[in-house]
Amino acid sequence: MARTRKRLGDILIEMGLITEADLQGTLDAKQSDQKLGDALLQRGLITEQQLIETLEVQLGIPHVSLFRYPFDPKLFNVVPKDFAKRKSLVPLKTEGDKLFIAMTDPTDFFTIDDLRLTTGFQIEPAIASKEDIMKTIAKYYEEESYDEMMEDLPQMDEQQEDLNDLDAPIVRLVNQILSTAVSLKASDVHFDPQENKILVRYRIDGTLRTERTLPKNMQQMVTARIKILANLDITENRVPQDGRIKTNVDFRAIDLRVSSLPTVFGEKIVMRILDLSNNLTDISKLGFNETNMERFMQEIDKPNGIVLISGPTGSGKSSTLYAALNKLNSEEVNIITVEDPVEYQLEGINQIQVNSNVGLTFAAGLRSILRQDPDIVMVGEIRDKETAEISIRASLTGHLVLSTIHTNDSIASITRLMDMGIEPFLVTASLNAVVAQRLIRRVCRDCRELQPASSREKHIFEKRGITVDFVARGKGCSQCNMTGYRGRMAIHEVLVVDEPMKDIINRGGTAAEIREIAIKNKTIFLIDDGLLKVKEGMTTTEEVLRVAMID
């Protein structure tokens, strides 16, 4: 008698990974052609590793970790790179007439049939995570093509027109570097010129690591190719240039911001990767704790006033602004933004790109916006007194203004506005709230384990009035490249400017006095929000102390 296979959702509930409510909610929300496992992953209810282990139980097909797997390089000629990439699979080994294949979906019988017909082997599938497979493809398939490119280098120098030929070695090299960056979920790619080489470095989860070294004689060709893609002047290498590339990498829409900077050893190029399929527009996924979320929502729901988001470059300020705009976006309101640059294009919102070459600055753009009957205005950044004054004027005439400011914390943002030359009474009349934000790395959910808190950690928590016995740490696995961290999350500090605080500011009070009022209002400071997330097992104390200071 045929054995009935248990359903995936039932197994996940039995294993205690999800609840009945989680399963029902996912089934109701998922698209008709979407697999349950993919829908659960998308909602962050399980990790890819947990899904693989569950599928192993359900299907009786073994799962395999590709990290340090002893691959047979000859097999990469048996399964073509494009097919492997499109179908998310890699060949593992052969035994007699059997070819073992690691796949993300071992129930894809059409792909298995295709492989059987093209290779002549009987196919034995195993399950592996998509990220593992993409990393393997990037490492092994790309290395082979990289070696071919290096052999083609001698001919390359003579042919300048090769830069537009899609089959040219240098074009393939740049595409491959981008493809690897996207598969590794890098936020930036750095081309660092050294005296006798070029370093290709990726920023992954906020930390830079060198991925590849290119010979010095490739520098001009690589730089020229990137400049052509970004519509920059390839003959100009004495001044910084900025450009943008819109492209598809591995069937995903990717937007790249390109910056070139002349250095002693040639032009340094940095590409910021904006994955358009991954943009955060759901405010509930930004990592706000309950109190901060409630306060932030109250402030952006007000009809007028200014809400500022502060933090250094790369702290996720734009994502928070876009999520707030997405929440406020409806047919009844006119939302206009002035940004430098426009990172994500949001439907139903009028976005203006700053262009200082023709005199379209933040201040000039903002002045024009106010004649366009807006309800909500977003200014990319308050950099100077003029922009600050126009933003305040807009908020005092019945507009809600959202913007960012570069300061260390929320209280410093108030003093920074006054340093710009804004009168205290104007600050208090217009400013609703300041949100300080930082990004910290998450503990990898696949290798996370609880450990007793050290005496130093207990002391740090006690100073902030929090008790802790255990903290989570990642011991390192293939999913997180042995770092113990995977992905990032935000910590916040929401400072609401209430009447007592306004009195202090109007009297020319110090930052310490403002802080006292904030403490009375039970403001959760950056360090507190971070430590609460450590207590919940989401991150580590070291990560929080890297971005937030203890008083």
Side-chain angles (χ1 to χ4, degrees), residues 156-157 159-165 170-171 173-174 191 198 214 216-237 241 245 258 260 266-269 271:
M156 227 166 59
D157 295 335
Q159 300 172 358
Q160 190 65 30
E161 66 269 22
D162 266 355
L163 292 173
N164 284 315
D165 176 3
I170 203 73
V171 173
L173 173 68
V174 171
F191 293 84
I198 316 169
L214 301 176
K216 187 72 175 174
N217 62 341
M218 290 178 81
Q219 182 172 330
Q220 277 184 314
M221 298 291 277
V222 169
T223 305
R225 172 60 187 161
I226 294 167
K227 282 182 162 186
I228 285 170
L229 285 171
N231 289 323
L232 301 180
D233 183 353
I234 64 169
T235 61
E236 181 57 83
N237 55 14
Q241 295 186 68
I245 303 169
V258 180
S260 77
E267 284 182 281
K268 173 178 165 68
I269 302 258
M271 297 198 280

Side-chain angles (χ1 to χ4, degrees), residues 311-324:
T313 308
S315 58
K317 300 187 296 294
S318 299
S319 293
T320 304
L321 272 183
Y322 283 128

Side-chain angles (χ1 to χ4, degrees), residues 39-311:
L40 289 164
L41 281 176
Q42 201 178 328
R43 298 184 77 188
L45 295 170
I46 56 171
T47 69
E48 204 168 359
Q49 195 59 34
Q50 288 168 341
L51 175 62
I52 285 168
E53 285 165 10
T54 312
L55 286 171
E56 183 179 27
V57 172
Q58 187 198 22
L59 304 172
I61 294 172
H63 87 272
V64 61
S65 169
L66 305 181
F67 190 68
R68 293 187 183 144
Y69 189 89
F71 288 99
D72 179 355
K74 292 191 198 107
L75 291 180
F76 294 113
N77 297 323
V78 175
V79 179
K81 174 183 156 186
D82 288 341
F83 186 81
K85 226 172 195 176
R86 199 169 63 251
K87 300 292 187 182
S88 297
L89 54 86
V90 282
L92 296 171
K93 60 177 182 179
T94 55
E95 277 181 13
D97 66 342
K98 287 181 183 171
L99 172 63
F100 289 80
I101 297 275
M103 309 173 70
T104 52
D105 182 8
T107 61
D108 184 353
F109 300 115
F110 292 112
T111 299
I112 290 171
D113 271 354
D114 279 354
L115 275 172
R116 186 170 52 77
L117 292 168
T118 52
T119 63
F121 285 99
Q122 288 300 316
I123 305 301
E124 289 287 332
I127 314 171
S129 75
K130 185 164 191 171
E131 200 164 323
D132 249 6
I133 287 172
M134 286 307 169
K135 280 180 192 166
T136 304
I137 291 170
K139 186 175 177 184
Y140 291 95
Y141 279 103
E142 309 292 17
E143 284 305 325
E144 283 188 6
S145 51
Y146 175 64
D147 293 340
E148 286 168 28
M149 288 171 209
M150 300 309 283
E151 286 167 22
D152 291 343
L153 253 182
Q155 306 100 272
M156 227 166 59
D157 295 335
E158 305 133 30
Q159 300 172 358
Q160 190 65 30
E161 66 269 22
D162 266 355
L163 292 173
N164 284 315
D165 176 3
L166 294 178
D167 291 325
I170 203 73
V171 173
R172 293 195 343 254
L173 173 68
V174 171
N175 290 348
Q176 178 196 306
I177 288 169
L178 281 180
S179 176
T180 306
V182 171
S183 67
L184 292 174
K185 293 188 169 65
S187 60
D188 301 83
V189 184
H190 291 237
F191 293 84
D192 279 352
Q194 308 290 308
E195 191 171 3
N196 47 24
K197 61 187 175 190
I198 316 169
L199 298 180
V200 180
R201 303 200 291 165
Y202 295 150
R203 188 178 290 282
I204 299 166
D205 289 344
T207 53
L208 271 173
R209 74 163 193 245
T210 302
E211 193 67 24
R212 173 168 290 168
T213 307
L214 301 176
K216 187 72 175 174
N217 62 341
M218 290 178 81
Q219 182 172 330
Q220 277 184 314
M221 298 291 277
V222 169
T223 305
R225 172 60 187 161
I226 294 167
K227 282 182 162 186
I228 285 170
L229 285 171
N231 289 323
L232 301 180
D233 183 353
I234 64 169
T235 61
E236 181 57 83
N237 55 14
R238 298 160 301 169
V239 294
Q241 295 186 68
D242 290 304
R244 192 165 192 161
I245 303 169
K246 265 196 161 181
T247 184
N248 278 310
V249 177
D250 300 339
F251 319 107
R252 285 157 79 178
I254 301 292
D255 211 341
L256 301 157
R257 275 177 18 212
V258 180
S259 167
S260 77
L261 184 75
T263 68
V264 178
F265 299 122
E267 284 182 281
K268 173 178 165 68
I269 302 258
V270 176
M271 297 198 280
R272 163 69 55 91
I273 300 172
L274 303 167
D275 187 343
L276 302 180
S277 62
N278 235 0
N279 61 334
L280 273 177
T281 47
D282 186 348
I283 210 160
S284 63
K285 290 181 181 168
L286 294 177
F288 277 100
N289 74 32
E290 229 170 281
T291 309
N292 281 344
M293 180 70 159
E294 198 178 310
R295 290 178 179 180
F296 182 59
M297 293 304 292
Q298 276 173 359
E299 296 309 315
I300 64 170
D301 278 338
K302 287 183 179 174
N304 59 282
I306 297 177
V307 177
L308 288 178
I309 298 177
S310 85

